Amino acid sequence: MFSSRSGAALTARGAVFALALASTLGAGPLLAREMPEAGTAAAAKKPNVVILATGGTIAGAGADAANSATYTAAKVPVDKLIAAVPQMSAVANVRGEQVFQIASESFTDAQLVQLGKRVSQLLKQDDVDGVVITHGTDTLEETSFFLDLVVKSDKPIVVVGSMRPSTAISADGALNLLDAVTVAASKEAIGQGVTVTMNDTIQSGRDVTKRTNVVPSAFFSQWGPLGMVIEGKTYFFRSLSKRHNTSSEFDIDQIDSLPLVGIVHGSGNMIPGVYDAEVQAGAKAIVNAGTGNGSVAGYLVDKLKDIRSKGTLVIRSSRVPDGLVLRNAEQPDDKYDWVVAHDLNPAKAKILAAVALTKTSDTKELQRIFWEY
Ligand SMILES: NC(=O)CC[C@H](N)C(=O)O
């Protein structure tokens, strides 16, 4: 049973995307439709979109078409991904760059900064109308929020991944990639912030998170998607009200590295020494992924107060996927000089804290930043 899409369409798409791997392995030529030649009138009319490939399942390959969860991520190079979705040439003049070829859990802050700088550089060019980043889904929510905070451009930036490798029956990467290019090429996406196109929806890169780890409908925002993309048309229904991109006070051109921020996951019966280990490793801030409303066990409060008094920032988030952490609810944040992450989950709070710390370590300023972004 196919839950959300027609079985015939899914199977056809899987077969098309599987061509990418066949070619990678030298099994034969690609059946890509001819792309319009650069410099022709047809090419001049279409928006120019650059695909920056970083790896992930969208570039993944398994041994058999039945392998939807057992495969190797980051195998198929960007030119093969592009050749496997010839429908993109009707939407935009597409070219690709292989920035990395990694599973996204292996992303480092240095790579995040490098990617951000490349996106910024490209979007300053008159001959680039939008950028698509192909990415593993595990940390896609971090990268999409990071780019939303630091790239000073109104042009569309779309981050896209897939849940099934390119070789799988019903691979979801091909349509997700076509949808990403469609959004990146659309006028409607200008100024909407970084978006994520997966499973026919357009989500805000600011608040989308991975909520299930095996099915194509993996990405979810508690505030709902921005819109949908269907058969080459974008439909936007809401806008991001938080500061982002050109309205952001952060600029990747001014950032060369990110300070270390740690996350401590809340549970019952915790080990206070974990906080010390983060501080000793050089963490400038610790995001406390507390229980419930960002609650902190009574026996941990002194530890967190002590850490704060010695200079490390304490940011209260929650391990609960949705909701808000409010200031002075559960803990007296004013008294302890702690910051709350508001609706940002621990991974998102870590990104915002790291970016904010490039400018300030004043807790009033940091709290303002957590309200505004
Ligand atoms: N669906 C995926 O992309 C997960 C594959 C891999 N763990 C990654 O994040 O790159």
Side-chain angles (χ1 to χ4, degrees):
M1 280 293 287
F2 297 98
S3 57
S4 61
R5 293 167 172 169
S6 111
L10 282 165
T11 307
R13 198 158 53 237
V16 167
F17 216 40
L19 284 171
L21 179 74
S23 173
T24 306
L25 300 177
L30 288 166
L31 303 179
R33 191 189 294 164
E34 247 176 59
M35 305 273 176
E37 267 181 49
T40 64
K45 277 201 207 111
K46 278 183 243 167
N48 299 316
V49 172
V50 180
I51 298 179
L52 298 180
T54 72
T57 296
I58 195 164
D64 188 276
N67 289 128
S68 63
T70 311
Y71 59 89
T72 309
K75 280 294 207 203
V76 182
V78 67
D79 54 325
K80 298 291 189 290
L81 290 181
I82 293 173
V85 193
Q87 294 84 351
M88 293 191 299
S89 66
V91 177
N93 303 310
V94 175
R95 68 179 176 85
E97 281 179 30
Q98 192 76 48
V99 185
F100 311 118
Q101 186 65 295
I102 56 173
S104 68
E105 62 271 24
S106 299
F107 252 84
T108 61
D109 283 353
Q111 287 168 320
L112 212 48
V113 168
Q114 184 186 332
L115 178 66
K117 284 187 185 292
R118 185 63 188 135
V119 174
S120 168
Q121 204 174 41
L122 282 167
L123 292 179
K124 285 195 179 93
Q125 292 178 203
D126 291 339
D127 63 348
V128 176
D129 298 295
V131 166
V132 167
I133 297 118
T134 59
H135 201 288
T137 55
D138 288 3
T139 64
L140 189 149
E141 64 200 79
E142 278 107 313
T143 298
S144 59
F145 188 35
F146 177 71
L147 298 174
D148 195 77
L149 293 171
V150 301
V151 178
K152 303 288 266 181
S153 176
D154 264 347
K155 292 179 184 175
I157 303 167
V158 188
V159 189
V160 62
S162 76
M163 293 303 290
R164 295 180 181 140
S166 63
T167 44
I169 299 172
S170 300
D172 53 334
L175 183 61
N176 289 348
L177 184 57
L178 176 60
D179 288 349
V181 168
T182 300
V183 172
S186 78
K187 293 215 166 17
E188 295 79 24
I190 294 170
Q192 297 279 3
V194 174
T195 53
V196 174
T197 55
M198 303 238 336
N199 210 37
D200 304 348
T201 57
I202 305 169
Q203 305 269 1
S204 167
R206 185 257 175 201
D207 43 44
V208 75
T209 69
K210 188 175 185 178
R211 284 285 286 275
T212 152
N213 58 8
V214 281
V215 294
S217 55
F219 281 78
F220 175 90
S221 160
Q222 68 168 325
W223 310 121
L226 298 179
M228 298 197 74
V229 50
I230 307 199
E231 292 187 349
K233 271 183 79 69
T234 59
Y235 300 91
F236 278 89
F237 294 98
R238 72 174 184 95
S239 293
L240 176 63
S241 65
K242 296 290 185 174
R243 292 176 69 175
H244 60 89
N245 301 109
T246 51
S247 65
S248 171
E249 68 205 81
F250 308 108
D251 182 353
I252 189 66
D253 296 349
Q254 316 295 326
I255 297 174
D256 291 323
S257 62
L258 294 172
L260 194 64
V261 177
I263 298 176
V264 176
H265 192 87
S267 66
N269 200 47
M270 289 183 67
I271 305 161
V274 170
Y275 295 93
D276 298 317
E278 290 282 357
V279 174
Q280 276 157 25
K284 300 285 176 273
I286 293 175
V287 175
N288 197 60
T291 37
N293 295 343
S295 55
V296 179
Y299 58 85
L300 292 177
V301 168
D302 280 348
K303 172 61 70 186
L304 286 177
K305 281 167 67 181
D306 181 52
I307 281 170
R308 175 70 204 109
S309 72
K310 291 177 179 146
T312 306
L313 290 148
V314 174
I315 299 164
R316 282 199 306 120
S317 179
S318 174
R319 70 177 193 178
V320 177
D322 295 334
L324 311 169
V325 176
L326 295 170
R327 205 168 164 80
N328 299 314
E330 286 286 347
Q331 290 292 331
D333 299 294
D334 288 348
K335 190 169 154 203
Y336 298 161
D337 200 27
W338 296 348
V339 172
V340 296
H342 206 27
D343 69 321
L344 296 177
N345 72 15
K348 302 260 188 194
K350 175 173 166 166
I351 290 290
L352 182 54
V355 169
L357 279 164
T358 63
K359 281 207 152 181
T360 183
S361 53
D362 179 87
T363 47
K364 282 208 169 51
E365 268 295 277
L366 286 165
Q367 189 62 73
R368 172 190 66 76
I369 287 165
F370 270 89
W371 295 142
E372 293 181 0
Y373 289 84

